[in-house]
Structures are given as structure tokens and as C-alpha cells.
Amino acid sequence: MSAALQNPSRDDFAAMLMESFEKSEVQEGSVVKGIVVAIEKDVAVIDVGAKTEGRVALKEFVGPGRGDTPIKVGDEVEVYLERVENALGEAVISRDKARREESWVKLEKAFEANERVTGQIFNQVKGGYTVDLDGAVAFLPRSQVDIRPVRDVTPLMGTPQPFMILKMDRRRGNIVVSRRTVLEESRAEQRSELVANLEEGQVIDGVVKNITEYGAFVDLGGIDGLLHVTDMAWRRVNHPSEVVTIGQTVKVKIIKINHETHRISLGIKQLLADPWEGIAQRYPVDAKIKGRVTNITDYGAFVELEPGIEGLIHVSEMSWTKKNVHPGKIVSTSQEVEVQILEVDPVKRRISLGLKQTLQNPWEAFAEQHPVGSVVEGEVKNKTEFGLFIGLENDVDGMVHLSDLDWNRPGEQVIDEFKKGDVVRAQVLDVDVEKERISLGIKQMAGDPFADAGDLKKGQVVTCEIIEVKDSGIEVKIVDSDMQTFIRRAELARDRGDQRPDRFAKGEKVDARVTMFDRKARRVTLSIKALEMAEEKEAIAQFGSSDSGASLGDILGAALRKASTPEKK
């Protein structure tokens, strides 16, 4: 033997050690086989080869998913080698990590193949539970335990259960599993078999399993069908509990089967006679019949005419006068009412009813009691930009248009003199029953000044009383009549200098000539200027001419002197 080998240096020793490790099959970070060489209290001493031993707690060999038989000396076991040698000169090994490594390999294969795995729920954590998948620990969310929420999972803990892996992350060591997915798949398989044995139109017995607001679920022997509330009876059913109870055995007819979703629709009323057959003969249009109000909505009220037959009174057919009132203000549930058949549609299974048709039309009644020309009295209900609405008997309204408020003044001005609540008298001008309109007039109560104008005609001289003086002229009223008109500034005098409204005063009387009178168009115009020019023309004709050199003053003076001097015989 060489001197170097007899007295090795530190480097020589290190090189020989590394050579020894390289020749050995033992590698750190891998699963290796070892032999149990001793049992000391709660640990097992295991020889992993390469003259290396390690210690593993006995609890890693016995427990859920680990086995029930304690290990003994001489047993061969697989362990995970973390380090070949620690500070004590022992190998750092772990049975749990070995099992975890083995499990991860198997689980990854199952995850890729979308296969089920077996595990045991062994602990509860925040948001769910932990599951032992043969050494690997997975998380089971609370929502994935069962198809329906489970309050107590104690019966499931410690029992092998099938699971589906939803998510895996080996780097982070995260596994998420679901028991619910397995149950749904099993349930779907069972439902497929059951649904395959059922047919639409088949009559079958079932047990009411659950009742909701919209219907009842019926157990047909392993699969549930929905008995909707509208298919329980031909009549209106407010709640399914009126017809069925939980645990009751009922005979139902299969209406529809959806083979994709495995949903089954059931019906009870389909086993009974259809009350809509021959409906048109039993309820002819315009017939009046009594019924009971079963339901009230925003758009009307439903009335039961017989069990299984209902009609709708639309809100527009409930009252002649109450147009914007909720149906609940007119009728109440369970009230017996008389209605008229307006329309019957056997195909759509609809009957339109009318409530107001059983009562007299208030506009027809008004027209009979108050013919055109009669006088009525009522309260001002509303003021609008086009007139007044007057409340009349039987809740009908009449309208006074702006043009029918006053003969002489504009309606926009006169309407301000009225306010809500005033009681007024008016004359009936027109009643349109079809359009539900009543036209009234207030100015007609005072008579028509144009109708009372008598023989007034163009060219006539009239005396007027000044009502109001304006910059543009004067407002006058013809004496001994109710007729008013306006004399424009240019018609106040013949001479331009005298065409000043301030020459006149309110209350004075002046004479004027009628320049236009149109009784049909209701127009009359007056002119003081026309009167002066007519007088001048007459004077010139009698006492001179305009080219004789005499002035108008001379001619008028001569005419006045002649009028004042007694005529000699």
C-alpha cells in the first residue's frame, strides 16, 4: 500500500468519500428502500444503505391511509432521503414524504386521465376539510362535499370516499378535490336509466317530495319531476299547498321529458276534462254573467266564471269615469260582480270582460237629462291653457273653452278670474257620447250681443261710451247694447292733429259711424273720422262746394244759423 493511502490527507479523504457516494445508489431527494434494523420506543431505525442509518417516528407507519400493522425488525420499507448525513452522522429520512411522493405520481396520472381517486376526510379547516389521498393532503371545499348543503360531515370522516381532482399544483403542494362531482356523475347515470324508461303522455304515481312557491317536486322512483302550479288544476291556484301536501301520493301525467337535462314536467289537470271545450257556446258575446274576483293586478282584475274558467276585466273596461285609478280601488278580491262578455278566444284561452258595460253610460244619461241649450251648475275642477273643466253629476266633466268665457274679452284674460272650487253656471253647447265630451259655455248665459244688435247696419251713426283709453285708440261700448269694439287711433278724427286718444276720457260719450258690421263673423268697426267726413260732405252739398272759396267753418256756420232761424212761410 502506498504511503499516501496509509496516511491520507484531508483532500484524499474527501475524494474517497465522494467516490464512495458516487458508487452508491443512494441519492438525496429521492425515495429509497431501507431495512428496519431496530425499534427504539416510538422510532424505527432504518438502514438505507451506504453504511447509513436514519430514524423515523413509528406514527408515520400506522394511521389513516398508512396501514394497521406495526412494522418490525427486518421489514423492508420505502422512505424519502432528504440528506445522507446530518450533524449527528445519521441520514434524514421520512416515511410520510415517501408516501407523498408516491401519491403525487399516482394523483397526477389520475388527474390527467380525469379518473376518480380514493381518500378519507380527516380534519376540518377554514372553508372546508382536509382529505388524505394515500399520503398526499388535499383540500375539500365545503361547497364540494355534497349535492345539497351538509351541516354535519362527521359520518363521512375516516371513511374511504371517491373524489375527483379539480386542481393540482405540485410546486405549491396544493390539491383541490370534490366529492360533489362524483355524486352528480353517479346521479346523472341513474337518472339516465330512469328517464329512459319513461315516456311523454305516460300516467304514473309519485310522492310529493317538496313544495315551493312555483310548484311541487314529485319523486317518481329515484328521479324527481316538477309539477308546476299552473298544471295542478284548471282553476287559479294561488299556492301549491292548496292542492298537494308533502308525502302525498298523487297520480300525474308526464307532459314533457328533456333527455339532455333530465328534467321532467308533470301535470294533474291534464287528467281532468278541459273546461274550455265549448266555451264560446256557454259564454256568448254581450251576455251578462256574475263571477267572483280572484286576483287583482295593475292592469285589471281576473274574475272566475266557473271552476277553471277565468276572464280579465281590463282596467280600461272597469269604469266610465275613473281612468287612472288602480283596479283595487274599484273591486276587491273575492267580491262578486256582474260583468259583460266582450270577447272569447278559445285558442288563446282568453275571455275579455267588461264591468262598466253593466252600468249606464253617464254621458248618455247626461245627454238625456240635459239637452243642448239647457243650463247646468258645477264646480271648477281644473284650469288649463285651453279652458275650464267643470265637475257635473255622475262624475262626468264638462269643458268651457277659452272662446266661450266672454263675448268681448279674450279668454286668456278672463280665465284668471276663475279659481278651483268656484261654482259656476253654464249652458250645454254639445254632448258627444262616443268621444265622452261635454262642451259648455259661460258667455252664452249673458246672451249674444250680436244676436241682440237689432237693425244695426253699416253707415249707421251710434253713440258709444268710452270704456278705456289706450295709446293705440279707445275701447268703447255701444249704448243700449252689450256690444264692445275698439276705435283705432287713425279713426279718432279727420284731422291728423286731432287723432290723439288723450282728447278722450273714460266714461265720456262720443258719436261714431259704423264702417263694418258682420253678424256671421262677429265683427263691428266704428270710426269718428268717417262720421266727421260724412257730416262735412253733407254740409258742402247743402250750403256750398269746396271750390267756392268758402271755408268749412263758413259753411258749417251758415248751416247752424239756418237751423237756428225760424223758417218763414
Side-chain angles (χ1 to χ4, degrees):
M1 184 176 295
S2 65
L5 293 176
Q6 291 178 354
N7 299 300
S9 64
R10 182 183 297 271
D11 293 337
D12 293 336
F13 182 78
M16 288 187 291
L17 183 61
M18 290 300 297
E19 183 181 355
S20 174
F21 286 159
E22 290 175 359
K23 292 179 179 179
S24 173
E25 296 180 358
V26 177
Q27 293 183 2
E28 291 184 353
S30 64
V31 177
V32 298
K33 291 183 178 181
I35 304 296
V36 179
V37 296
I39 302 294
E40 299 177 357
K41 293 185 179 179
D42 56 351
V43 298
V45 181
I46 300 173
D47 180 6
V48 294
K51 299 180 181 180
T52 305
E53 294 180 351
R55 297 172 181 269
V56 180
L58 292 176
K59 64 181 181 180
E60 292 190 25
F61 294 93
V62 181
R66 295 175 172 85
D68 299 327
T69 306
I71 60 173
K72 58 184 182 297
V73 176
D75 288 349
E76 185 180 64
V77 294
E78 289 185 343
V79 293
Y80 182 82
L81 179 62
E82 295 186 39
R83 280 191 296 167
V84 175
E85 188 176 355
N86 62 8
L88 299 177
E90 295 180 345
V92 180
I93 59 178
S94 170
R95 173 58 185 161
D96 282 345
K97 288 186 178 181
R99 292 176 60 252
R100 191 176 301 120
E101 284 294 315
E102 294 172 3
S103 296
W104 269 94
V105 174
K106 295 178 182 177
L107 294 175
E108 285 177 341
K109 291 180 180 179
F111 180 58
E112 292 174 0
N114 197 28
E115 296 176 349
R116 300 177 185 178
V117 296
T118 303
Q120 297 182 34
I121 303 173
F122 67 91
N123 193 19
Q124 180 173 343
V125 295
K126 183 179 180 181
Y129 308 90
T130 51
V131 179
D132 182 2
L133 299 177
D134 194 20
V137 178
F139 174 65
L140 172 65
R142 194 182 300 275
S143 61
Q144 297 296 323
V145 175
D146 206 324
I147 296 174
R148 293 185 177 87
V150 178
R151 294 183 179 179
D152 185 14
V153 297
T154 303
L156 301 176
M157 297 184 74
T159 304
Q161 302 279 339
F163 297 92
M164 287 294 293
I165 300 175
L166 302 180
K167 182 179 179 182
M168 288 189 73
D169 188 341
R170 186 159 188 171
R171 185 173 60 85
R172 296 184 179 182
N174 291 339
I175 304 175
V176 180
V177 296
S178 170
R179 179 174 175 268
R180 175 179 176 175
T181 304
V182 176
L183 297 178
E184 287 178 343
E185 290 179 356
S186 301
R187 185 182 179 189
E189 293 173 0
Q190 295 174 0
R191 288 172 65 92
S192 297
E193 294 179 8
L194 292 172
V195 169
N197 296 325
L198 298 177
E199 296 179 358
E200 293 184 2
Q202 180 180 352
V203 179
I204 189 173
D205 289 333
V207 178
V208 179
K209 188 175 180 180
N210 189 25
I211 295 177
T212 66
E213 292 290 331
Y214 54 85
F217 287 94
V218 180
D219 185 357
L220 303 178
I223 187 170
D224 292 346
L226 175 61
L227 175 61
H228 198 270
V229 65
T230 57
D231 290 312
M232 289 184 170
W234 290 106
R235 64 178 178 84
R236 177 182 293 275
V237 178
N238 295 317
H239 194 274
S241 58
E242 297 177 8
V243 181
V244 296
T245 58
I246 294 177
Q248 178 184 355
T249 300
V250 292
K251 188 177 292 294
V252 293
K253 183 176 183 178
I254 298 177
I255 302 173
K256 186 177 181 181
I257 299 176
N258 189 325
H259 291 279
E260 294 181 2
T261 61
H262 296 163
R263 291 182 179 175
I264 303 174
S265 299
L266 307 174
I268 291 179
K269 74 178 185 181
Q270 287 76 6
L271 300 174
L272 307 173
D274 188 353
W276 285 87
E277 293 182 3
I279 194 72
Q281 290 73 27
R282 299 205 306 276
Y283 298 100
V285 175
D286 293 335
K288 293 182 180 179
I289 190 171
K290 290 185 178 181
R292 181 177 59 86
V293 178
T294 57
N295 191 30
I296 297 175
T297 67
D298 291 336
Y299 54 85
F302 288 91
V303 177
E304 184 181 54
L305 305 179
E306 64 176 75
I309 299 296
E310 283 187 349
L312 172 66
I313 309 174
H314 193 268
V315 65
S316 61
E317 306 293 345
M318 302 198 87
S319 173
W320 289 108
T321 56
K322 298 175 182 177
K323 301 297 184 183
N324 297 317
V325 178
H326 191 276
K329 301 287 185 180
I330 301 175
V331 296
S332 57
T333 305
S334 300
Q335 178 184 350
E336 188 176 278
V337 292
E338 185 180 26
V339 292
Q340 182 172 313
I341 307 296
L342 303 181
E343 183 184 359
V344 178
D345 190 336
V347 178
K348 294 183 179 179
R349 294 175 178 259
R350 294 177 183 174
I351 298 179
S352 298
L353 305 175
L355 181 63
K356 69 182 184 181
Q357 287 78 0
T358 61
L359 307 172
Q360 185 180 16
N361 187 328
W363 283 273
E364 290 181 353
F366 183 89
E368 294 174 2
Q369 299 172 14
H370 304 282
V372 174
S374 60
V375 178
V376 293
E377 186 177 276
E379 182 181 325
V380 177
K381 294 291 186 182
N382 194 20
K383 292 170 60 175
T384 67
E385 59 183 10
F386 47 82
L388 297 175
F389 282 93
I390 311 298
L392 305 172
E393 57 193 45
N394 296 327
D395 291 329
V396 299
D397 291 342
M399 192 191 80
V400 182
H401 194 268
L402 289 176
S403 60
D404 291 314
L405 289 174
D406 195 278
W407 288 111
N408 302 305
R409 293 179 296 163
E412 292 82 1
Q413 175 184 342
V414 179
I415 196 171
D416 292 335
E417 299 176 2
F418 297 89
K419 60 181 183 297
K420 286 185 179 181
D422 288 349
V423 176
V424 297
R425 287 167 58 82
Q427 187 179 102
V428 178
L429 304 181
D430 181 55
V431 180
D432 191 329
V433 176
E434 188 174 328
K435 294 183 179 180
E436 300 180 350
R437 293 177 184 174
I438 299 174
S439 298
L440 304 176
I442 291 179
K443 71 180 184 182
Q444 287 79 2
M445 297 296 296
D448 187 351
F450 277 85
D452 300 336
D455 297 331
L456 189 67
K457 59 184 179 292
K458 181 179 179 180
Q460 185 175 342
V461 178
V462 294
T463 301
C464 306
E465 181 181 348
I466 298 174
I467 299 174
E468 187 177 358
V469 179
K470 300 179 180 179
D471 292 339
S472 57
I474 59 176
E475 188 82 31
V476 299
K477 174 179 174 293
I478 299 176
V479 175
D480 297 331
S481 75
D482 293 328
M483 194 173 301
Q484 295 182 12
T485 188
F486 184 75
I487 303 178
R488 296 183 297 109
R489 184 187 185 106
E491 303 295 331
L492 292 179
R494 182 179 68 87
D495 295 334
R496 190 177 184 84
D498 293 333
Q499 293 175 354
R500 294 178 289 105
D502 56 7
R503 292 176 50 234
F504 301 91
K506 183 178 179 180
E508 289 182 350
K509 293 183 178 180
V510 295
D511 289 342
R513 187 183 183 90
V514 179
T515 56
M516 185 188 74
F517 180 73
D518 190 335
R519 195 185 302 270
K520 187 175 182 180
R522 304 185 62 79
R523 289 189 62 189
V524 59
T525 58
L526 305 178
S527 173
I528 298 175
K529 174 182 176 180
L531 175 61
E532 291 179 351
M533 292 179 69
E535 289 176 344
E536 177 184 354
K537 186 176 181 181
E538 183 181 354
I540 290 174
Q542 291 186 15
F543 301 102
S545 62
S546 59
D547 59 353
S548 64
S551 66
L552 178 61
D554 296 335
I555 295 172
L556 292 177
L560 291 172
R561 286 193 299 273
K562 181 180 179 182
S564 61
T565 301
E567 186 177 345
K568 295 182 179 180
K569 295 183 181 179

